[in-house]
Amino acid sequence: MGTPAVVLLSGGLDSTTVLALAREQGFTPFALSFRYGQRHSVELEAASRVAETIGVERHVIADIDLRTFGGSALTADIDVPKHADVTDVTEHIPSTYVPARNTIFLSFALAYAETVGAQDIFIGVNALDYSGYPDCRPEFIRAFEDMANLATRAGVEGARLRIHTPLISMSKAEIVTTGLRLGVDYGITSSCYDPDGQGRPCGHCDSCLLRLKGFSEAGHSDPLTYQAV
């Protein structure tokens, strides 16, 4: 087995590309997904397909319930915002922001890493084509990494833990191009915040619009079938 690494895997475009990159770099991935009270299970079904297709040592789906707190269109009875065009997506923090989600997810990833002897955690945060989430910024990642090395036995004993963010300065088009180079099948992924009962993406939430923009600018068609609008 190669060097172990924990990869946060949502089943979306970004995390799937990160998993492929981790494998390309020679890591043995331990995938971690979350059933956190999100409004649909489509992304978890996609995460399972991605983990099986790309290949991981183990795929854990952790159960936590962020609906207890609500405060997000993804975990409460709040409509997911939709737009006619990607130009309507702003850098203001939208209602789809789940309070402290990446902090929570990375904390679980940190515990998972300690149990499997991993010093590396991969996460698909992006600071260019994104919806204004504060926990996707480089300064957040640096601060969490510093904290992680103070808060764990591994860190105290000198095993420096690293948070890898290979997509953080990429555009969505660059991410798509990278994934296609690595042979990623984006037809098994899911990025939509509000898919229908058949799992088809809506085409108008922030995530769909940014995904479509990435494929268009990369000169490729998104393999997913979108809802008729």
Side-chain angles (χ1 to χ4, degrees):
M1 187 175 76
T3 303
V6 172
V7 180
L8 288 168
L9 181 65
S10 71
L13 184 149
D14 292 347
S15 68
T16 299
T17 308
V18 165
L19 176 57
L21 282 167
R23 284 198 60 88
E24 182 194 41
Q25 293 172 23
F27 289 95
T28 297
F30 287 77
L32 176 59
S33 306
F34 294 92
R35 187 179 292 106
Y36 63 89
Q38 60 267 57
R39 60 193 300 131
H40 63 81
S41 62
V42 173
E43 65 179 38
L44 286 176
E45 294 164 5
S48 295
R49 290 194 299 268
V50 168
E52 182 176 358
T53 301
I54 294 180
V56 300
E57 184 70 16
R58 183 185 179 201
H59 181 206
V60 169
I61 299 177
D63 287 291
I64 53 179
D65 190 6
L66 298 184
R67 289 190 69 87
T68 300
F69 309 122
S72 167
L74 302 189
T75 59
D77 295 326
I78 301 170
D79 289 339
V80 172
K82 306 287 179 67
H83 309 288
D85 188 82
V86 72
T87 58
D88 295 329
V89 179
T90 70
E91 292 188 2
H92 297 294
I93 300 173
S95 61
T96 50
Y97 164 68
V98 180
R101 182 174 61 177
N102 280 348
T103 304
I104 295 165
F105 287 2
L106 280 169
S107 296
F108 272 71
L110 182 58
Y112 191 16
E114 280 218 285
T115 65
V116 299
Q119 294 177 232
D120 299 273
I121 294 173
F122 284 77
I123 182 171
V125 293
N126 178 261
L128 288 183
D129 287 337
Y130 77 121
S131 296
Y133 297 155
D135 52 3
C136 289
R137 297 174 299 164
E139 52 266 44
F140 163 73
I141 298 297
R142 288 194 297 269
F144 189 94
E145 184 176 282
D146 288 342
M147 181 279 297
N149 282 288
L150 293 171
T152 58
R153 181 176 67 184
V156 169
E157 292 179 350
R160 179 79 185 171
L161 185 132
R162 296 171 292 272
I163 310 292
H164 298 259
T165 57
L167 312 185
I168 201 156
S169 61
M170 288 188 186
S171 68
K172 273 290 189 285
E174 290 171 328
I175 294 169
V176 168
T177 300
T178 298
L180 293 175
R181 175 182 63 80
L182 295 172
V184 170
D185 176 8
Y186 286 118
I188 64 172
T189 67
S190 176
S191 301
C192 184
Y193 292 146
D194 194 23
D196 66 11
Q198 300 174 52
R200 296 179 303 176
C202 70
H204 291 285
C205 67
D206 288 10
S207 186
C208 280
L209 289 169
L210 289 169
R211 176 182 171 122
L212 287 165
K213 173 176 179 280
F215 274 98
S216 176
E217 291 180 351
H220 294 274
S221 297
D222 189 340
L224 296 183
T225 299
Y226 284 74
Q227 297 172 35
V229 292

